[in-house]
Amino acid sequence: MDKPVVIAVAITGSVPRKADNPALPVTVAEQIESTHEAYEAGASLAHIHVRNDDESPSSDPERFAAVQEGLRRHCPGLIVQFSTGGRGRDPSARGLPLMHRPDMASLSTGSVNFPTIVYENHTSLVTDLAARMREFGVRPEIEIFDLSHLHGAKRLVEAGLMDARPHVQFVMGVQNAMPAEAHLLDILLAELRRLLPQATWTAAGIGRNQATVMEWALARGADAVRTGLEDNIRVTKDRLAASNAELVRLAAEALARHGGRPATPAEARAALSLPA
């Protein structure tokens, strides 16, 4: 039987604009519709950012809540994951949407250089976000931009702020951060297995690295893959992606090449230690 693999779709992010790809979902209604199409194509986890009316990044808890409400109505069983990422967002506001109790939320455990800014995640902020996730019953997805961030995750486990089976995502190909190189993924994966042997894992490739990193992850037995317009707005150098659903369909084809298939929402929840 084909191995079920979670397909996570990062639908919007903080950086792309409609001027970059008109298919980018920005409004609440667009985000619900785009995610529903991706769900129908095989996605079982949606990573959510919200935007202000001018397309700038937002931490508005009510916008997050409205997207979540729509997804729970139209996409039964879909894992809803809020972003607590910091690009363009006030650090003090990044955890506010957690009160709406999404299934999961992203959690970066250290700072790193991005193309034009330092993506700052001070230890006190990381601890506060982890504590809020624990308070509201939100499972973290640990975002790893550097080897030291794995040790930051381990410290959260030791402090009792999360259990020993987090879901971990290696982010590769961000300019000025960790390059998309296969031997670096091997190093990271070996350290993950040493520090947090019960963790599930995935890897995200940014921009043109998306498909390549997905292939590396699948070849190494990843529990999940990530795709979506947040990370990559193109299918080829010369063609924009038509939708998040198109990128999910390409991910499903990659799974098939490696003897896998898209996990159902129930299978995805079981794999990531979430209630049915």
Side-chain angles (χ1 to χ4, degrees):
M1 183 177 177
D2 293 340
K3 174 187 175 181
V5 179
V6 177
I7 298 180
V9 60
I11 61 168
T12 302
S14 297
V15 176
R17 298 292 189 269
K18 281 189 175 292
D20 303 312
N21 184 331
L24 185 80
V26 173
T27 68
V28 168
E30 288 171 346
Q31 289 186 312
I32 295 168
E33 181 179 5
S34 183
T35 306
H36 182 253
E37 292 172 355
Y39 171 83
E40 293 289 326
S44 50
L45 186 157
H47 177 70
I48 306 299
H49 291 248
V50 297
R51 302 287 187 94
N52 297 308
D53 293 342
D54 64 359
E55 298 190 47
S56 62
S58 173
S59 293
D60 181 0
E62 298 318 306
R63 292 189 187 226
F64 275 98
V67 174
Q68 177 170 260
E69 180 186 7
L71 298 186
R72 287 184 170 164
R73 183 185 312 123
H74 296 291
C75 306
L78 178 74
I79 297 168
V80 177
Q81 181 188 95
F82 287 176
S83 171
T84 66
R87 189 154 15 191
R89 298 168 67 185
D90 178 354
S92 66
R94 284 163 53 181
L96 294 179
L98 296 172
M99 66 182 178
H100 293 299
R101 300 178 184 271
D103 298 297
M104 300 183 74
S106 60
L107 178 62
S108 298
T109 53
S111 302
V112 67
N113 287 335
F114 271 6
T116 59
I117 64 167
V118 174
Y119 178 29
E120 189 170 348
N121 293 290
H122 190 278
T123 304
S124 60
L125 174 63
V126 174
T127 300
D128 176 68
L129 288 171
R132 290 192 191 205
M133 290 180 196
R134 183 182 61 177
E135 176 187 358
F136 292 117
V138 179
R139 285 196 66 78
E141 176 182 277
I142 304 300
E143 309 300 328
I144 302 297
F145 294 91
D146 183 77
L147 184 67
S148 64
H149 298 176
L150 282 171
H151 291 264
K154 176 69 169 177
R155 288 191 291 273
L156 294 177
V157 172
E158 292 171 342
L161 290 170
M162 67 181 187
D163 65 36
R165 199 173 184 271
H167 186 50
V168 171
Q169 176 163 264
F170 303 115
V171 185
M172 311 188 80
V174 175
Q175 183 183 343
N176 300 329
M178 188 159 51
E181 297 182 12
H183 76 280
L184 294 178
L185 180 57
D186 289 331
I187 292 168
L188 291 162
L189 192 52
E191 189 70 350
L192 173 66
R193 288 169 172 161
R194 187 179 75 86
L195 292 173
L196 297 166
Q198 299 180 66
T200 54
W201 73 278
T202 184
I206 305 305
R208 61 185 175 83
N209 301 297
Q210 186 173 77
T212 302
V213 171
M214 188 181 300
E215 294 284 344
W216 295 343
L218 290 167
R220 289 158 175 79
D223 302 283
V225 295
R226 169 158 147 158
T227 191
L229 292 170
E230 171 176 350
D231 298 342
N232 174 36
I233 61 172
R234 299 181 178 277
V235 170
T236 67
K237 182 179 179 181
D238 301 317
R239 184 170 79 78
L240 294 171
S243 63
N244 278 300
E246 180 178 22
L247 293 174
V248 169
R249 286 190 286 270
L250 291 172
E253 292 172 7
L255 266 57
R257 289 194 294 273
H258 289 269
R261 62 170 174 80
T264 65
E267 289 170 333
R269 287 178 172 275
L272 302 184
S273 300
L274 288 162

